[in-house]
Amino acid sequence: MRRFIEILGSSLKMALGEFRSNKLRTFLSLFGITIGIFCIIGVLATVSSLEQNVQKDIKSLGSNTIFIDKWDYSGQIPYWKLVNRPIPKVEEMDLLRKTVPEASNIAFALQRMDKVEFEDEKLDNVRMYGVTEDFSNIQTIEVIDGRYLQQTDFDYGSNSAVIGYKVAEELFGRPERAVGRQVKIYDRWVNVAGLIKKQGSSIIGGWEFDNCVIMSYQFMRSLVREETSQPVIMLQGRENIPMAALRDETTGAMRSIRKLKPTQNDNFSLNDVDAFGEFAAQLFSGINMGGFFIALLSLVVGMFGVANIMFVTVRERTSQIGLKKAIGARRRVIMMEFLMESAFLCIMGGLIGLILVFILTQIISGMLGFPIYISVKILAFAIGICIFIGVLAGIIPASIAAKMDPVVAIRSK
């Protein structure tokens, strides 16, 4: 162990000495490694952070949840096959509650984009949601001021609503001023009962609770036409129920409710949130793989550069190698010294690449609006690649050095 540490220290000194004595040559040779590590780690860090944010946004739609809609969210079914389908109805939600015991929560929601007014202020493109009681059990809605909708609001369709942080900020200047005020929606006065906690931006869009008004289904249906308000049934399964079983039960229940014959196709879509997550994972895996192979080309170029340095180093130290062998240094010791030196050179190039990636992540984080970070796993992967490339680049020069005849090597100039 002591001998190994000595060899390690000696190899590190020689690598640093090579860099100091031939700065330009060494830097240009390591540039390929730097660019390769920069590309690989840059892609891995960006895609990994992006995937985590996308998966987080997908989970925010509701874990273990199925969206029953006339539209298919995957885009695999042609539009003309979907347009004439019937819309989901609140009566179907009530029947599903009785026929699908695997469901823990079932909610109905209307969705529109429209304007909200307060005195002289008018805010366009606000998301309007008319929901039933279980909606807040499926979606996490944290009210930081005032209250959420109560059972009496749902039962009697009262004109109460909770609004998003961004809506409150733009209409009232300060969000905390919103609760207790009245806003006008579809020429009707609506009481602001609560303020939703700020959610932040979402990559996939989702519910966008910062830019929304949530009211009871009964009240919203008195303001708008249901068939033009994108109605959807949300069905959340119990924790111990597999998604496949929940889909099968829901499919059978919906076919029975709509009285479809065995030969008829489904006239509804079950859009699975978990399936979105799996699709996103496969997509990002493909992006990672493509970026890795593109960056691998730079690493191959860098490997030849390091190999060139090691060939030159072996030639410059031929007499030293002969002297070491003459006083008893074994082949494996000589070989290990050069392999470690080659690995250290690659690690130096990789560290420069990591510094560049860190700078890039800070810039991209500010541009995209979500944090990009380099995980410990990615760092370990980068160091592992550097060591592997270094050993691969130095193995032939190290073998040549280890096989030298000590007498011939000492006499060389």
Side-chain angles (χ1 to χ4, degrees), residues 118-133:
F118 174 73
E119 295 180 349
D120 295 331
E121 298 292 332
K122 183 174 71 172
L123 191 59
D124 293 318
N125 297 320
V126 176
R127 291 180 176 269
M128 307 288 177
Y129 297 126
V131 301
T132 55
E133 296 91 322

Side-chain angles (χ1 to χ4, degrees), residues 362-373:
Q362 300 305 306
I363 296 172
I364 294 180
S365 294
M367 292 173 60
L368 297 183
F370 66 88
I372 295 176
Y373 60 92

Side-chain angles (χ1 to χ4, degrees), residues 112-129 163 167 170-171 183-190 211-213 215 220 223-224:
R112 287 178 73 99
M113 298 277 285
D114 224 305
K115 65 181 179 181
V116 181
E117 297 176 84
F118 174 73
E119 295 180 349
D120 295 331
E121 298 292 332
K122 183 174 71 172
L123 191 59
D124 293 318
N125 297 320
V126 176
R127 291 180 176 269
M128 307 288 177
Y129 297 126
I163 66 174
V167 175
E170 295 195 14
L171 285 180
V183 295
K184 186 175 285 188
I185 301 174
Y186 301 113
D187 294 325
R188 292 276 298 275
W189 290 107
V190 178
N211 184 44
C212 82
V213 174
M215 61 197 84
M220 187 166 175
L223 305 177
V224 299

Side-chain angles (χ1 to χ4, degrees), residues 34-52 283-296 298 353-354 356-358 360-361 364 368 370 372-375 378 381-382 385:
T34 299
I35 296 302
I37 292 297
F38 173 79
C39 292
I40 288 179
I41 304 308
V43 169
L44 290 179
T46 304
V47 173
S48 175
S49 301
L50 185 62
E51 181 180 5
Q52 287 192 16
L283 178 64
F284 284 114
S285 176
I287 295 173
N288 266 332
M289 191 64 67
F292 178 82
F293 281 114
I294 292 172
L296 192 62
S298 296
L354 285 173
L356 294 176
V357 171
F358 178 76
L360 179 68
T361 57
I364 294 180
L368 297 183
F370 66 88
I372 295 176
Y373 60 92
I374 306 173
S375 66
I378 292 177
F381 180 67
I385 288 178

Side-chain angles (χ1 to χ4, degrees), residues 321-353:
I321 295 168
L323 186 59
K324 285 182 179 181
K325 297 194 74 174
I327 60 176
R330 296 183 179 181
R331 283 189 175 186
R332 68 170 180 268
V333 174
I334 301 295
M335 190 166 187
M336 189 178 295
E337 285 183 352
F338 280 95
L339 287 178
M340 286 185 176
E341 183 176 349
S342 178
F344 279 130
L345 286 172
C346 285
I347 290 173
M348 290 167 63
L351 288 175
I352 298 172

Side-chain angles (χ1 to χ4, degrees), residues 84-145:
N84 292 322
R85 284 179 170 183
I87 61 171
K89 295 181 173 60
V90 72
E91 294 81 9
E92 294 175 332
M93 177 198 72
D94 294 330
L95 291 172
L96 284 170
R97 200 184 301 277
K98 299 175 184 177
T99 54
V100 185
E102 291 83 359
S104 59
N105 295 292
I106 304 179
F108 190 84
L110 300 178
Q111 310 168 66
R112 287 178 73 99
M113 298 277 285
D114 224 305
K115 65 181 179 181
V116 181
E117 297 176 84
F118 174 73
E119 295 180 349
D120 295 331
E121 298 292 332
K122 183 174 71 172
L123 191 59
D124 293 318
N125 297 320
V126 176
R127 291 180 176 269
M128 307 288 177
Y129 297 126
V131 301
T132 55
E133 296 91 322
D134 279 355
F135 182 79
S136 59
N137 296 329
I138 299 173
Q139 300 297 317
T140 302
I141 302 174
E142 187 177 347
V143 176
I144 58 172
D145 193 15

